[in-house]
Amino acid sequence: MKKFIIAIVLIACNSLGAQVQFEAKVSKTTLGLNERLRIDFVMNIDGDNFNQPSFEGFKIIAGPSQQVSQSWINGKSSFEKIYSYYLLPSQKGNLIIRQASIEYNGQIYKTSPIRINVTSAVEQPKDPSDTQISADDNIYLVADISKTNPYINEPITVVYKLYFSYNIGISNWRELDKPKYNDFWSQNIDIKQLVGEEGMFKGEKYRFVVLRKTVLYPQKSGKLVIEPLSLDIDVQLPTNRRDMFGRVVVTNGNKRVSAGAKTIAVKALPEAGKPADFSGAVGKFDFKVTPSKTNLKNGESLDLLVSVSGSGNMKLFTLPKPVVPNSLEMYDPVHDEKVNTNLAGMSGKISDRYTIIPQFKGNYPIKPMQFSYFDLNSGRYKTISSPEIMINVLDGPSANDQLTTTTPDNSKNVISSTEQFKFIKLKSDLISIKNDDFFGSNLFYGLLFLPFLILPMIVLFKKKKDALDSDVFGNRVKMNNRLAKKYLFEAKKQINNKEPFYVALEKAMHNFLKAKLHIETSEMSKINIQQLLLSRNASPETVNDFINLTENCELARFALSSSAAIQQDFDKAVIIISDLEKQIK
């Protein structure tokens, strides 16, 4: 007994004297963007309040999982608890996994930070024993560029397409890296709805979706790099296994794809023949200078419209400014743009509207204006000149009169009585301030008798509502009809989402039966539905089609289905419901 107590005391002393160990261990410190990382937080004591780090730059794909082990070897006990995570990096670079912490005997213990180097995606070896279809050779992200050797300010387009084979399915994607267009003027073209299409890629037939369209105008010459678009895509991959019903087993996974960086070699505009007034316009343009009027009276003003129309870098150059005589006062212009941007680039019209007010009587020329641009079709500079515009001010003081008014003779500044009140409004719209009394007016009597007129209507409405509420059977039929229409409409909205589509379609078919046959859910067996439909004069072919479609709704949710097959099922359901609507009596 004495030896037993001594052994227990020694074990307790060893336990108290044992050093607390809490550390983080990783499967590797350098990995590719498409590789997984395992990290284990290992402790030799049973710590409490485990706090995981934030894992910035990583996505947790599994975990935490916990393992606890305890053993006795040669009279010594050992304890180990492990928290394990599987991580997927979401960006490249040197990432840091920060400290995790636990609490033990009132003290806080932390792990050391771990530095992880994430490189570009690497090629992973394939397992020869794995016969599952891989996403690597069945999904591609491509950036189609209209031209790789443009001039400065010549439009080019970048269209991002996601190609995927008929062997796999995709359900969702997330942008990891957005494309960057340094040294480009860029504008995205809205894609209202993603539409699946078919096309040839690498000599084979693929499905594809256009994800993004962008118009670019390079702003400097040389080699410009378009940084890539990268996506994380959820995929469904068929295997060589089948379930108990003979259906192919599909596994869910994810695949990261990148369009790759693209280099654009931009040519500088030629120096030979460049006009001195060239402001950077590139494209095909028409230039006009249009006055609102050329003959003015004293005190009137005119608008001078300087406009350029056509196609090119409409928002990236300035319009020439008119030069007018000193006797014409010109105000700052009002700029207007009516420009559309599509895959061909910008097109439309830009204009500056100047307000000009003459000061004196006389004839004043506005000098011809010139607009120069670089024509992409001919590869040369072109200049358009406007004609000279003559402004005729018919009356008012002359310039000589203005010189006279600067002399000490103040009598020349006297304003005539006819001009003194010229800008004062002579007509006015006056409103009487006399108010009619409310008491005894038509509005007074109308409001007085209005409650007596509304009361009978309220009574009739209440009786009608009570009658409708008491009709339980009729209300149930109406409700089933509404549910059938609701779920059929929901199925149409979800026609691009397989599982929600078939759930809504099945509910629409069941609620249609409830409304037409006046049955409950518990009575909806295959034999009972068949007998009831045939007894109500429905044709056997329509009845069989109805039953087959309802049975297929459950199976189709888990089977691979194309958008064409889903559309066929929806059209078939509409036809069957329409036929039963006519046949059932």
Side-chain angles (χ1 to χ4, degrees):
M1 183 66 181
K2 187 176 181 180
K3 293 181 179 180
F4 180 73
I5 294 174
I6 293 173
I8 294 177
V9 171
L10 290 174
I11 292 172
C13 291
N14 288 334
S15 298
L16 291 173
Q19 185 178 3
V20 175
Q21 294 182 354
F22 180 45
E23 58 183 341
K25 299 179 180 179
V26 293
S27 57
K28 57 179 73 175
T29 56
T30 300
L31 69 155
L33 188 62
N34 59 334
E35 291 185 300
R36 297 182 178 184
L37 174 72
R38 173 172 175 166
I39 181 168
D40 296 326
F41 297 97
V42 185
M43 64 192 78
N44 66 343
I45 42 87
D46 190 8
D48 298 323
N49 300 327
F50 171 74
N51 289 321
Q52 69 182 41
S54 60
F55 295 121
E56 295 180 7
F58 291 91
K59 174 184 176 184
I60 300 175
I61 58 176
S65 61
Q66 180 179 332
Q67 298 178 4
V68 178
S69 62
Q70 188 169 8
S71 61
W72 290 78
I73 301 176
N74 296 328
K76 293 183 179 181
S77 66
S78 62
F79 177 88
E80 187 177 64
K81 181 192 282 188
I82 302 175
Y83 289 94
S84 299
Y85 294 82
Y86 285 91
L87 309 176
L88 191 66
S90 57
Q91 63 187 64
K92 294 186 294 184
N94 291 318
L95 307 181
I96 296 177
I97 299 178
R98 303 196 179 276
Q99 295 173 309
S101 66
I102 59 171
E103 183 178 349
Y104 182 70
N105 287 340
Q107 294 202 8
I108 303 298
Y109 297 89
K110 296 182 179 181
T111 62
S112 299
I114 299 178
R115 188 178 298 275
I116 304 297
N117 181 29
V118 180
T119 64
S120 300
V122 298
E123 183 177 359
Q124 296 177 331
K126 298 180 180 180
D127 186 358
S129 63
D130 186 7
T131 57
Q132 173 179 309
I133 293 177
S134 171
D136 295 340
D137 301 325
N138 290 276
I139 187 167
Y140 300 92
L141 181 61
V142 177
D144 285 340
I145 299 179
S146 60
K147 193 171 186 178
T148 58
N149 189 27
Y151 282 105
I152 292 178
N153 274 318
E154 179 180 359
I156 63 174
T157 58
V158 183
V159 180
Y160 294 94
K161 298 179 181 179
L162 181 64
Y163 286 90
F164 53 101
S165 71
Y166 289 87
N167 297 326
I168 66 172
I170 60 174
S171 56
N172 191 21
W173 56 81
R174 294 162 296 279
E175 287 189 356
L176 297 176
D177 293 320
K178 292 186 177 181
K180 296 179 182 178
Y181 311 109
N182 297 326
D183 299 316
F184 289 93
W185 182 94
S186 64
Q187 180 167 332
N188 291 327
I189 298 176
D190 292 336
I191 299 177
K192 296 181 179 179
Q193 184 177 6
L194 296 177
V195 179
E197 303 179 52
E198 294 183 350
M200 299 300 293
F201 181 73
K202 292 188 174 182
E204 297 182 7
K205 203 170 185 180
Y206 275 77
R207 293 174 290 173
F208 71 90
V209 176
V210 176
L211 301 180
R212 185 191 290 257
K213 298 178 181 178
T214 306
V215 177
L216 304 177
Y217 284 84
Q219 297 300 293
K220 72 176 187 179
S221 60
K223 292 185 177 181
L224 306 183
V225 177
I226 300 176
E227 296 189 16
L229 169 68
S230 298
L231 301 177
D232 185 13
I233 304 172
D234 294 335
V235 296
Q236 292 78 47
L237 304 172
T239 66
N240 63 337
R241 304 189 306 273
R242 295 183 178 270
D243 59 15
M244 59 184 298
F245 300 104
R247 297 173 299 191
V248 174
V249 175
V250 177
T251 60
N252 294 318
N254 72 299
K255 171 66 177 176
R256 294 189 173 187
V257 292
S258 173
K262 303 295 181 181
T263 301
I264 309 297
V266 182
K267 298 180 290 186
L269 296 176
E271 293 295 327
K274 180 185 289 187
D277 61 349
F278 178 70
S279 62
V282 177
K284 182 70 175 177
F285 303 103
D286 187 21
F287 175 66
K288 290 183 180 180
V289 179
T290 309
S292 59
K293 59 177 96 172
T294 54
N295 296 320
L296 292 85
K297 296 180 181 179
N298 182 36
E300 292 183 336
S301 64
L302 68 91
D303 288 337
L304 186 67
L305 185 68
V306 180
S307 63
V308 169
S309 59
S311 59
N313 58 333
M314 303 291 293
K315 299 181 180 180
L316 303 176
F317 60 83
T318 57
L319 295 173
K321 185 176 181 179
V323 178
V324 300
N326 293 331
S327 297
L328 300 180
E329 185 176 1
M330 184 173 67
Y331 293 85
D332 291 336
V334 176
H335 187 72
D336 182 45
E337 293 181 355
K338 296 179 181 177
V339 179
N340 297 320
T341 304
N342 52 33
L343 284 180
M346 289 185 278
S347 63
K349 180 179 179 180
I350 62 173
S351 62
D352 286 339
R353 185 180 297 273
Y354 295 86
T355 298
I356 298 176
I357 300 177
Q359 302 296 313
F360 309 108
K361 177 183 178 181
N363 299 326
Y364 303 100
I366 297 178
K367 295 181 180 180
M369 299 173 60
Q370 291 185 336
F371 174 73
S372 300
Y373 66 94
F374 182 74
D375 185 12
L376 292 170
N377 294 329
S378 62
R380 296 180 179 179
Y381 294 96
K382 293 186 177 181
T383 301
I384 304 175
S385 299
S386 66
E388 181 181 81
I389 299 172
M390 184 64 69
I391 305 299
N392 302 317
V393 183
L394 303 179
D395 57 9
S398 65
N400 293 330
D401 294 337
Q402 177 66 15
L403 293 175
T404 306
T405 59
T406 60
T407 64
D409 186 4
N410 295 329
S411 62
K412 297 296 183 181
N413 293 327
V414 177
I415 301 174
S416 64
S417 59
T418 57
E419 297 291 328
Q420 186 173 4
F421 302 103
K422 181 175 180 179
F423 298 103
I424 297 178
K425 187 176 182 181
L426 300 179
K427 293 183 180 181
S428 61
D429 299 326
L430 301 179
I431 301 174
S432 175
I433 62 174
K434 181 181 178 181
N435 295 324
D436 296 331
D437 292 335
F438 173 70
F439 183 77
S441 65
N442 292 335
L443 180 61
F444 170 78
Y445 288 111
L447 294 176
L448 181 63
F449 292 108
L450 183 62
F452 299 99
L453 296 175
I454 295 177
L455 187 59
M457 299 175 63
I458 294 175
V459 174
L460 291 175
F461 175 77
K462 189 175 184 306
K463 288 183 178 180
K464 182 68 174 177
K465 186 176 182 302
D466 291 342
L468 291 174
D469 292 342
S470 62
D471 186 8
V472 178
F473 178 78
N475 288 336
R476 187 165 63 243
V477 172
K478 291 179 182 177
M479 183 185 69
N480 289 332
N481 263 323
R482 286 196 299 269
L483 289 175
K485 293 178 181 178
K486 171 189 172 183
Y487 286 119
L488 193 61
F489 180 71
E490 179 68 20
K492 186 176 181 180
K493 288 199 304 182
Q494 299 289 345
I495 204 161
N496 293 323
N497 300 318
K498 181 181 63 177
E499 186 170 347
F501 167 80
Y502 282 108
V503 170
L505 186 64
E506 187 177 11
K507 289 182 178 179
M509 304 288 283
H510 286 173
N511 281 283
F512 172 77
L513 274 188
K514 291 180 184 179
K516 286 298 177 183
L517 301 182
H518 313 310
I519 60 176
E520 298 297 331
T521 304
S522 58
E523 302 175 282
M524 295 186 65
S525 65
K526 176 180 176 182
I527 298 176
N528 192 30
I529 291 173
Q530 192 171 21
Q531 291 175 351
L532 288 173
L533 288 175
L534 293 175
S535 66
R536 299 288 292 274
N537 295 329
S539 67
E541 294 81 4
T542 307
V543 173
N544 290 333
D545 290 341
F546 183 91
I547 292 174
N548 291 335
L549 184 58
T550 54
E551 290 178 346
N552 288 339
C553 284
E554 179 66 27
L555 298 177
R557 277 188 266 166
F558 306 100
L560 291 175
S561 302
S562 65
S563 58
I566 294 175
Q567 182 66 48
Q568 289 175 3
D569 288 342
F570 178 79
D571 295 339
K572 189 175 182 180
V574 173
I575 294 172
I576 292 172
I577 290 175
S578 177
D579 291 342
L580 290 176
E581 188 78 39
K582 298 175 184 177
Q583 296 170 8
I584 293 177
K585 298 181 180 179

